[in-house]
Amino acid sequence: MPSQGVKLYVQDKHVVLDNGILQVTISNPDGIVTAIQYNGIDNLLAVENQEADRGYWDLVWNLAGSKGTKGKFDKIEATSFEVIVENEDQVELSFSRKWDPSLEGKIVPLNIEKRFIMLRNSSGFYTYAIYEHLKEWPAFNLDRFRVAFKLRKDKFHYMAMADNRQRYMPLPDDRLPYRSQTLAYPEAVLLVDPMETEFRGEVDDKYQYSCENKDNRVHGWICNDPPVGFWQITPSDEFRSAGPHKQNLTSHVGPTTLAVMHSVHYSGEDLILKFGSNEAWKKVFGPIFIYLNSLSDAGGNPLSLWEDAKQQMRIEVQDWPYTFPASQDFPQSHQRGNVSGRLLVKDRYVCKDDIPANGAYMGLAPPGDVGSWQSEVKGYQFWTRADEDGYFCINNIWTGDYNLYAWVPGFIGDYKYDVIITPSAGYDIYMGDLVYEPPRDGPTLWEIGVPDRTAAEFYVPDPSPMFVNRLYVNHPDRFRQYGLWERYADLYPDRDLVYTVGVSDYTKDWFFAQVTRKNDDDTYQGTTWQIKFKLDCTANETETYKLRLALATAHAAELQVRVNDDGKSPLFSSGQIGKDNTIARHGIHGLYRLYRVGIPGNLLLEGDNTIFLTQPKSTSPFQGIMYDYIRLEGPASSNGNKKA
């Protein structure tokens, strides 16, 4: 029996897409999804909400020169509706809002077009958007933009975002003031009298469900009666800002599901899009796929819908870039190029031969400085991982100018190929063998940690019994528990951390974050950590030793380094760095920073030595640093390769 084609019904205030599997109702001309009918449920979206608060694109913006990351919230309501494609196989709709000078200061100075696509036989629909700023328009700042869907709280109670990150969730009513206690910030609450007693005593915080872009392919919710899954599938990161390791929100209590295209979370003001006067810009975000599934077997396990969603995600990834979007601004596969090659690592203190860059993250991003990809916010980025022999292939790249960037697990620093690369439609560029020489001045005398841009290998404590999310008990992501910053003072009540090279174990003895200490009067004080080590012989007084400090994140912190006398002026100060807010938001990394501190040989002693790492000032519990890796290098003329 032939399947029903896609039908479009245009009404005064709504348009309806229907392919016989589902119906999607969108407000006309606003372009907000007001209803999704599927599997006998008249509306999967939050029927208790106003129509404009169900399925929408939104953004936060501000005037040029504004400080901070707060701004004007805009739930993007279009003013014009147009049918782009209408046939039995596909319907594509456009909802657009044009900007003109009479709107200055009232709405963000962008032309915004939201598009929705439904295909024959597809159990879902697609959405994407095109943002455009003309060069004669005003300067402004753009803080975040995303797609949000709010589901029915009486039906969707189970959330899934990974095989080991899924659970039944509290209800939104459990967060009401008389049922919960607000903790250190409004997003985090302690559930003291939830409607479901099983959640009593748990912490609920949306930041506990953040995810790196590279791992954020599918997430969503399951309804048990009838068994239905609502899934958001993002098959590509090319339109997301700040690279594959940028962390973004996914789903949280509401039940809410998000497709975050850009945000400043885990990075701060460094990631605000700042548009100057005379700056033209245009970018396509998406498409993403909203996928719905159900059980054919009435007695089946609803949780199997997650497995089906993952399989659909793999299909969508394989089909990328899609061939069906009708916008000329979205290039198809034949309009894109490919770049391939091989990356080797040259570190003569590790191996006399070049080392294949096994598992290196390889990416094309707009031209910039070394490592600039992690704060690049306006262009497209294309990433892959090298194989065990260092070979890589980056496919389906938009035409344009790029630098090739990389970082290699196990080695500090960033690689950049200085020559601009310009992929052409339908052509392959082979780069040949490329060689990355990581920062290095001499042999390793000792090291702490693993160069992987996170603090995950260090000691992460159990949370206070008062502040537990049961999902993360005995979980690899135990760092996502609430309030771990306060555990430092519990573990070190009278003195700060002291680490002895060759004796201490960084997985047990190096606290995952150098945070502040709370005093009895609710003020905070800075902390000083010590690294004690021995030199087997007298240091060469005419040589300079190098201390490498790779930071996984920093928030409102200053890092000072002293050697063998914590009372002297610091040998090094970072100045105030970072507004990542990673510590509060349960991340294990933010923006990567790498410092080299020269230590004159005459400061080092034969035998016992101490390096002091100090945060001198403190104003909040979230101020601090997460270290990725620390290494002391001897002069080039010395020997040694001592692991900590």
Side-chain angles (χ1 to χ4, degrees), residues 441 543-548 561 563 571-572 595-601 603-604 632-633:
D441 287 294
E543 297 278 6
T544 299
Y545 294 67
K546 298 297 190 306
L547 181 68
R548 305 279 181 179
V561 177
V563 176
L571 190 64
F572 165 84
Y595 297 101
R596 181 185 72 167
V597 182
I599 302 176
L603 294 183
L604 297 174
L632 181 65
E633 299 172 5

Side-chain angles (χ1 to χ4, degrees), residues 347 349-350 409-412 439-440 442-452 457-458 499-507 510 531-534 546-550 611 627-634 640-644:
D347 188 336
Y349 290 99
V350 174
F411 296 90
I412 62 173
R440 166 79 75 173
T444 299
L445 300 183
W446 51 258
E447 57 187 354
I448 300 172
V450 177
D452 61 0
E457 70 269 27
F458 297 127
Y499 186 93
T500 302
V501 172
V503 177
S504 301
D505 179 347
Y506 61 74
T507 66
W510 189 272
I531 304 173
K532 294 185 175 293
F533 63 97
K534 292 181 180 291
K546 298 297 190 306
L547 181 68
R548 305 279 181 179
L549 297 164
I611 290 175
Y627 297 93
D628 163 45
Y629 175 75
I630 302 175
R631 180 173 75 211
L632 181 65
E633 299 172 5
N641 190 20
K642 186 176 181 180
K643 295 276 289 184

Side-chain angles (χ1 to χ4, degrees), residues 299-318:
N301 182 358
L303 300 189
S304 66
L305 296 173
W306 164 248
E307 295 300 323
D308 176 72
K310 289 194 298 180
Q311 177 60 31
Q312 186 64 41
M313 175 269 292
R314 288 187 281 268
I315 293 172
E316 301 297 324
V317 171
Q318 183 66 33

Side-chain angles (χ1 to χ4, degrees), residues 142-160:
L142 198 53
D143 176 278
R144 74 156 194 250
F145 35 97
R146 63 187 188 177
V147 186
F149 287 94
K150 297 181 178 179
L151 308 178
R152 288 180 62 157
K153 65 181 181 180
D154 61 327
K155 291 190 173 294
F156 290 93
H157 299 151
Y158 191 88
M159 185 185 76

